[in-house]
């Protein structure tokens, strides 16, 4: 029996090790040249792929047609005759002829009206009867649709449960998948006798696969008299072979030969690779949670047909979904045309003289691709951008603002490098970030670009907060002032940034910087989350930061004290869990000017 041991560290697997048999039953089952990783990947992908939901398309009754009964045509009235009094006709005779003609025309019109009324009444009765039948048929159809919708949604729930069960059972089935993959790829283990060294009692041989895609030179310590008996039928031995598959996110997967044993005459003789240059095989295996494709043609959202009858209108209620249209205001309207005291104050505040040695790098994301929004982040960013520019005389050409769709991971890295390349000795940098703060598993804090996934941001060292601080501190700038409107507890506005995970408070370690040329003011402690300021339609920290900067505060300690007191006061009014206390780090004595 040829056995393989896999030691795994995978997201969807909880097992630490498992033993898999290499069986000969798979010898001729596949001629396709594939690796163990590919075969194993295929087995797992097939297993985790959800089945399609039930196809109810053939059960959906056709839509009940709206009755179409033509209107009764308006009859054509007889034309009015032009009567002319004859030369020899008396006045009374002419009047009598006119009266007669009028009466005859009246009779014709009355008969036409009588017939028209009869036809219209018949049509009206037909409309009422058709409307009643239409309502019955529509209600019958809608009842069928509701039952089908219920069956379909119940099957969707069943598929979801099946997927959960699959993930729960993956550990148990992994043995089956691995056994199949090994057998499909390698076939049978084979032993080929090479030589025997009687001086050291060492037997040399080759371990290979019947498919000629695996071969390792081996040696084993075996008594001479045993080796003599072993040699004639050496190729018929059934070795016990163990492999070690170690996986991690950094180094990937390595399949290495761990142990080979030769069972013979009641004894088992251990063997080891004879080549000092032996290296493990590099393989790649990715286990992902397969999700159901709800955009496929088999996915239905059944719309009920309205049972009301209308000869002129089609069914306006085929779709029972209600969508609220977004009223999109331009930025100038959104930011400055509202009754907003902060923006009105910013507009009226005169700008200080432009200083070419001042630089602003601003990042703000309100609407993320992969997690919940940070409400009012965009508004606060526009406010802070103008506060920095007016308060410190920062030119637009020295301003790098990455807001919403511009705040992608690529642009943040590229634009930050571009700005730092332009910064000269003695310059000052003002750095502002508003968005999600993500706690890493090792306690590091990360900012989250718009296009990044919360769960994978820890792989991006460029967005580790300490890395950003060091990059700014190590630049040519004389000093950097960093303002971070984000907390790194894993929650924002009391909502978890990890999707599917209840809001929780996670602990991140404090950032320790030896540099004296950076001052950092953050929205809260490592165990708190940042709040919105709904009454002002701003982020709470940014609102008071802008307010006190506009008041001319230049001391970081004074700024921190004022912002801290205001933010703490407002946040505690929302409840103890919402408590937010801004923090000051780094050089606390360097003036903001």
């Amino acid at each position: 029996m040829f056995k393989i041991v896999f030691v795994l560290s995978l997201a969807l697997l909880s097992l630490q090790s498992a033993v898999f048999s290499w069986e000969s039953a798979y010898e001729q089952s596949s001629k396709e040249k594939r690796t163990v990783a590919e075969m194993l990947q295929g087995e797992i992908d097939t297993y985790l792929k959800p089945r399609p939901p039930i196809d109810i398309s053939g059960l959906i009754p056709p839509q009940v047609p709206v009755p179409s009964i033509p209107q009764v045509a308006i009859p054509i009235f007889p034309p009015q005759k032009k009567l002319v009094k004859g030369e020899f006709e008396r006045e009374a005779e002419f009047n009598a002829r006119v009266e007669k003609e009028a009466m005859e025309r009246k009779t014709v019109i009355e008969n036409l009206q009588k017939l028209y009324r009869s036809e219209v009444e018949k049509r009206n009765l037909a409309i009422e009867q058709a409307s009643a039948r239409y309502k019955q048929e529509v209600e019958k159809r809608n009842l069928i649709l509701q039952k089908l919708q219920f069956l379909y949604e119940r099957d969707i729930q069943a598929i979801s449960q099946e997927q959960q069960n699959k993930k729960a059972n993956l550990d148990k089935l992994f043995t089956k998948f691995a056994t199949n993959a090994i057998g499909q790829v390698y076939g049978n283990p084979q032993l080929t006798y090479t030589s025997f060294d009687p001086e050291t009692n060492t037997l040399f041989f080759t371990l290979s696969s019947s498919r000629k895609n695996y071969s390792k030179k081996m040696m084993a310590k075996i008594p001479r008299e045993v080796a003599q008996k072993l040699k004639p039928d050496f190729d018929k031995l059934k070795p016990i072979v163990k492999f070690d598959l170690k996986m991690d996110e950094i180094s990937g997967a390595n399949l290495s030969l761990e142990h080979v044993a030769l069972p013979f005459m009641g004894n088992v003789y251990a063997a080891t690779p004879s080549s000092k240059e032996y290296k493990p095989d590099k393989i790649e295996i990715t286990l992902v949670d397969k999700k159901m494709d709800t955009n496929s043609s088999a996915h239905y959202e059944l719309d009920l047909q309205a049972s009301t009858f209308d000869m002129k209108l089609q069914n306006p209620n085929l779709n029972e979904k209600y969508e609220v249209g977004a009223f999109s205001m331009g930025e100038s309207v959104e930011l400055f045309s509202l009754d907003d005291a902060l923006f009105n104050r910013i507009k009226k505040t005169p700008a200080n003289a432009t200083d070419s040695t001042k630089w602003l790098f601003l990042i703000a994301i309100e609407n993320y691709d992969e997690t919940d929004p940070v409400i009012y982040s965009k508004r606060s960013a526009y406010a802070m951008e103008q506060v920095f520019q007016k308060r410190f005389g920062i030119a637009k050409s020295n301003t790098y603002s990455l807001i919403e769709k511009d705040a992608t991971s690529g642009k943040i890295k590229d634009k930050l490098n571009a700005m730092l390349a332009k910064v000269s000795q003695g310059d000052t940098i003002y750095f502002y970030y508003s968005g999600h703060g993500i706690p890493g598993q090792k306690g590091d804090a990360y900012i989250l670009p718009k296009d990044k996934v919360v769960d994978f941001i820890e792989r991006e060292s460029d967005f580790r907060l300490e890395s950003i601080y060091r990059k700014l501190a190590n630049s040519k700038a004389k000093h950097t002032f960093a303002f971070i409107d984000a907390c790194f507890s894993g929650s924002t506005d009391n909502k978890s940034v990890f999707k599917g995970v209840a809001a929780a408070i996670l602990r991140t370690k404090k950032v320790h910087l030896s540099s004296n040329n950076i001052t950092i003011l953050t929205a809260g402690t490592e165990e708190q989350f940042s709040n919105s300021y709904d009454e002002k339609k701003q982020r709470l920290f940014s609102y008071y930061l802008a307010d006190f900067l506009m008041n001319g505060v230049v001391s970081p300690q004074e700024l921190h004290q004022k912002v801290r007191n205001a933010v703490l006061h407002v946040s505690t009014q929302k409840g103890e869990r919402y408590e937010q206390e801004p923090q000051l780090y780094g050089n606390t004595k360097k003036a903001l000017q």
Side-chain angles (χ1 to χ4, degrees), residues 301-365:
E301 294 179 357
L302 302 179
D303 300 318
L304 302 182
Q305 186 175 352
S307 61
T308 55
F309 174 78
D310 193 315
M311 288 298 295
K312 296 181 180 179
L313 300 178
Q314 297 293 323
N315 187 353
N317 299 315
L318 291 176
N319 193 339
E320 287 192 336
K321 292 180 177 179
Y322 291 89
E323 297 180 358
V324 180
F327 178 66
S328 177
M329 297 182 291
E331 290 178 358
S332 60
V333 175
E334 180 184 356
L335 299 178
F336 301 114
S337 295
L338 300 175
D339 184 14
D340 192 314
L342 178 62
F343 282 113
N344 289 333
R345 183 181 171 195
I346 294 173
K347 285 177 61 177
K348 297 176 182 179
T349 300
N352 288 330
T354 300
D355 187 344
S356 61
T357 68
K358 303 290 183 63
W359 299 83
L360 171 62
F361 197 89
L362 182 146
I363 307 169
I365 308 100

Side-chain angles (χ1 to χ4, degrees), residues 88-151:
F88 302 100
E89 189 176 25
R90 294 189 176 102
E91 186 72 26
E93 293 174 340
F94 176 71
N95 290 337
R97 185 162 64 90
V98 171
E99 182 68 19
K100 180 182 177 181
E101 185 65 30
M103 290 300 297
E104 290 177 353
R105 187 172 187 274
K106 178 181 178 182
T107 300
V108 172
I109 292 176
E110 287 178 347
N111 290 335
L112 290 174
Q113 178 65 66
K114 183 178 179 180
L115 179 62
Y116 179 73
R117 177 179 291 277
S118 176
E119 294 297 323
V120 168
E121 288 177 351
K122 289 180 181 179
R123 179 184 182 273
N124 289 343
L125 179 61
I127 291 175
E128 292 175 355
Q129 293 173 343
S131 178
R133 290 194 301 270
Y134 176 78
K135 182 177 181 180
Q136 290 178 348
E137 293 175 6
V138 167
E139 290 178 349
K140 181 179 179 180
R141 177 181 184 270
N142 287 346
L143 181 60
I144 295 174
L145 293 183
Q146 289 173 338
K147 292 181 178 179
L148 291 175
Q149 187 72 60
F150 172 77
L151 292 175

Side-chain angles (χ1 to χ4, degrees), residues 18 108 160 238 274 381 405 413 464 549:
V108 172
S160 177
K238 302 297 183 181
S274 61
K405 61 182 179 64
K413 290 188 287 188
R464 187 161 59 100
L549 284 176

Side-chain angles (χ1 to χ4, degrees), residues 22 80 192 233 246 299 360 366 445 447 532:
W22 185 0
Q80 289 183 341
T192 304
D233 295 320
K246 294 183 178 179
H299 185 73
L360 171 62
E366 181 165 334
I447 66 171
S532 62

Side-chain angles (χ1 to χ4, degrees), residues 537-573:
K537 296 181 179 179
Q538 293 281 337
R539 300 304 299 173
L540 179 58
F541 170 75
S542 290
Y543 177 81
Y544 284 109
L545 176 62
D547 184 31
F548 291 114
L549 284 176
M550 294 295 287
N551 284 343
V553 177
V554 296
S555 167
Q557 293 177 338
E558 181 184 358
L559 179 63
H560 167 244
Q561 190 66 26
K562 291 180 178 295
V563 173
R564 173 192 172 279
N565 292 343
V567 169
L568 187 59
H569 173 73
V570 174
S571 63
T572 51
Q573 289 182 336

